[in-house]
Amino acid sequence: MGEGSEAPINAIDGFSEPLDRLRAALDASCVVGTWEWDIVGGTMMYDAGTARLLTGDASLADTRIGSLQAIAAVHPDDHPWLLDHVQQAVQAGGLVLAEYRVVARDGAVRWLLSRGRAFQDPFGHPVRAGGIIIDITELREGGERPVVGGEAAPLDSLSRAADLAIALKRTLDDDAAAEIHAAVDRLLMCLGRAIARESGLH
């Protein structure tokens, strides 16, 4: 988004917030960003928000990184079960859902909810996955991880909307108008909140 832009968002579902106000709302929201996993190639790709929290380095956004680097900031106690769970989920296909902790460089612990979908080739082999990361720290009350899943469930409306929003975000390039980027980010923010509520965390 354009730095310091004050232009209002016009003609997009009636949005009228200035971009700087929307940017502040996004920063304060529970949505972190998006992820894509090339299962065949063994690489991950994050946007800036996801790269910052999962790797500790936002500069790794939009680059192909290996699996260990991709979860470098995940809490050490959550590493083993998370790797095992994700492998099982992608083998089953369908929904990939997991709640886990990350540790920031300053030692702060955040809780994340990752929701995505794994896709298989015609022979039933997983080939790729993608989804959204939601920061649920303020919604989390401690205790055991209540959200873990990987069933081959049919796409519900939220899942379809999230898939389309993620694809749209990836399609946009830097030349796209700032208000379009802002509208897509706002859509992801709304979807993230809805997904958190659906998961019983709001």
Side-chain angles (χ1 to χ4, degrees), residues 1-2 62 165-182 184-185:
M1 289 183 283
D62 300 317
I166 291 165
L168 178 57
K169 183 178 177 70
R170 289 295 186 191
T171 300
L172 294 175
D173 57 28
D174 294 337
D175 294 331
E179 59 265 30
I180 295 177
H181 283 283
V184 174
D185 285 343

Side-chain angles (χ1 to χ4, degrees), residues 86-154:
V86 170
Q87 289 293 336
Q88 292 183 35
V90 298
Q91 290 297 326
L95 184 65
V96 179
L97 186 67
E99 180 182 328
Y100 52 91
R101 295 166 291 176
V102 292
V103 183
R105 289 183 174 180
D106 62 2
V109 175
R110 309 292 299 177
W111 281 94
L112 302 183
L113 176 66
S114 178
R115 174 174 173 141
R117 189 156 293 272
F119 300 91
Q120 300 176 328
D121 65 17
F123 303 101
H125 302 130
V127 292
R128 63 183 178 88
I132 188 171
I133 295 285
I134 307 162
D135 187 334
I136 57 170
T137 304
E138 294 182 3
L139 309 176
R140 192 70 164 74
E141 296 182 353
E144 296 299 318
R145 291 182 291 271
V147 179
V148 177
E151 70 275 13

